[in-house]
Amino acid sequence: MTGILITASDEVVVYGINKEKYSNDGFVGLPIDVLSDEYYAITWSPPYRQCEMMIVGVEDATLVSVTIGQYIGSQYVTYGGKRYYKGNTVTETLNKYDAWQLVSPSDLTGSFIKSTKKVSVFSGNKKTKIGSGGSQDHLVEQLTPVNTWGKNFATVPIPKRTVGDYFKFIASEDNTQVTISGGYSSSFTISKKGGLVQKVIPSTAYCKIVASNAIMVTQFVQSQQSSSEPSDPAMLIIPPVEQYGADYTFATPKYSLGSYENYFMFIVDESEASGLRVDGKSFPTNTVYKKISGTTLIGGYISVSEGTHTIRHTSPIAIFGGFLYGKANLETYGFPTGMRMAKVNAVCILFST
């Protein structure tokens, strides 16, 4: 496998989409200048098929080490004819465009990726079911570096579902306290960095999430349980409020058997909701806005047609969160439509002046 470099004369948005029949997911591509050297993998378990991660070299002579996470249990990763169990570290040297994939029949969540130079990292599942439904789908996200993780989040339930959504929380530091409030309440401590807590949040709950240290939050769409709710598994990284952007341009993927029902999910300050525009037009008058208790934020979603769209605000300084989700029979995708990638979780280094 090899990586692909995309360059343009002006700024562009890049999305990766799997186009296999009855197996689809996508990710928003991150530009090279925001990549870094520390990541944690996220996968779904128990997997119907293998969990996987892939690291892509950006510069020559990059030493990469992967420390296998605790959630792999008694399983292992095989590489170079050797077995690597939880806590073991496997290394490889990557040059520019080299792609290195590791797979396991068990959970790779919490596996720590560390490199001597910046790299691009992806993780997910080859194809898996989630929850009690039987349908399976591909899962993938391009991972955000640890130095861009945040402490404040807001969530929107997957549109047109009633079975709830799974959420996974991964800590960047030991003894991280997390509190969820809104339509669902929970408080817990993640004792070790790279540690995981998983929750099922009802489809009626628009939530606020606050952590004492920076975390990564990932939302998982459940398998289809009824033909009245066509859907399939998908995985979405939830950007922290600190990384919300001012506008998003995106294109909807193409369903293998026709067209998806596409939805733009959003989170915005209540005082600024009226300024949101889709392709220059106000949001539909029947848009439902749900207040996220304990915050000034509201969440919701609108239906968007197949094609390319731009969501922005009439105020150039207003920011909001955005996600794209599409559903069809036994096929679904989901990913954030973009985010700032400021190093809000980087160590502050003082210099004498």
Side-chain angles (χ1 to χ4, degrees), residues 253-265:
K254 185 72 175 178
Y255 177 41
S256 62
L257 298 178
S259 298
Y260 289 106
E261 290 182 39
N262 303 290
Y263 298 92
F264 176 75
M265 304 154 58

Side-chain angles (χ1 to χ4, degrees), residues 91 143 152 163 190 194 231 260 279 343:
T91 61
L143 300 176
N152 301 280
V163 296
I190 306 175
S231 190
Y260 289 106
D279 303 325
K343 293 178 172 57

Side-chain angles (χ1 to χ4, degrees), residues 58-235:
V58 174
E59 302 178 40
D60 290 338
T62 301
L63 178 62
V64 182
S65 64
V66 177
T67 302
I68 307 302
Q70 60 180 305
Y71 302 103
I72 199 170
S74 60
Q75 292 288 345
Y76 52 84
V77 170
T78 300
Y79 183 70
K82 297 181 179 180
R83 293 180 177 181
Y84 295 87
Y85 295 86
K86 62 182 179 182
N88 294 166
T89 299
V90 53
T91 61
E92 184 57 273
T93 299
L94 301 180
N95 291 320
K96 188 183 296 185
Y97 313 135
D98 284 348
W100 179 32
Q101 187 177 42
L102 298 174
V103 302
S104 172
S106 190
D107 199 354
L108 290 173
T109 295
S111 295
F112 180 57
I113 299 99
K114 175 68 176 175
S115 58
T116 55
K117 301 175 184 179
K118 63 177 61 175
V119 291
S120 180
V121 184
F122 303 79
S123 70
N125 291 62
K126 182 176 182 179
K127 196 175 184 183
T128 193
K129 57 184 178 180
I130 295 177
S132 60
S135 66
Q136 306 148 35
D137 216 343
H138 175 59
L139 303 181
V140 64
E141 281 284 30
Q142 182 168 2
L143 300 176
T144 52
V146 174
N147 60 19
T148 66
W149 292 8
K151 300 178 182 178
N152 301 280
F153 299 80
T155 66
V156 175
I158 294 299
K160 309 295 185 180
R161 296 304 302 274
T162 61
V163 296
D165 308 316
Y166 279 93
F167 285 81
K168 287 192 176 187
F169 307 86
I170 300 179
S172 64
E173 300 291 341
D174 293 348
N175 298 317
T176 295
Q177 298 174 346
V178 181
T179 300
I180 308 172
S181 59
Y184 171 86
S185 298
S186 179
S187 295
F188 51 87
T189 298
I190 306 175
S191 60
K192 297 292 185 182
K193 62 181 179 180
L196 162 75
V197 168
Q198 178 176 296
K199 299 289 183 179
V200 180
I201 297 181
S203 293
T204 54
Y206 289 69
C207 293
K208 168 188 175 182
I209 299 166
V210 178
S212 60
N213 300 303
I215 60 174
M216 179 167 67
V217 179
T218 311
Q219 185 172 7
F220 290 84
V221 183
Q222 293 204 53
S223 293
Q224 182 170 314
Q225 298 181 21
S226 167
S227 59
S228 64
E229 292 186 14
S231 190
D232 223 8
M235 177 171 71

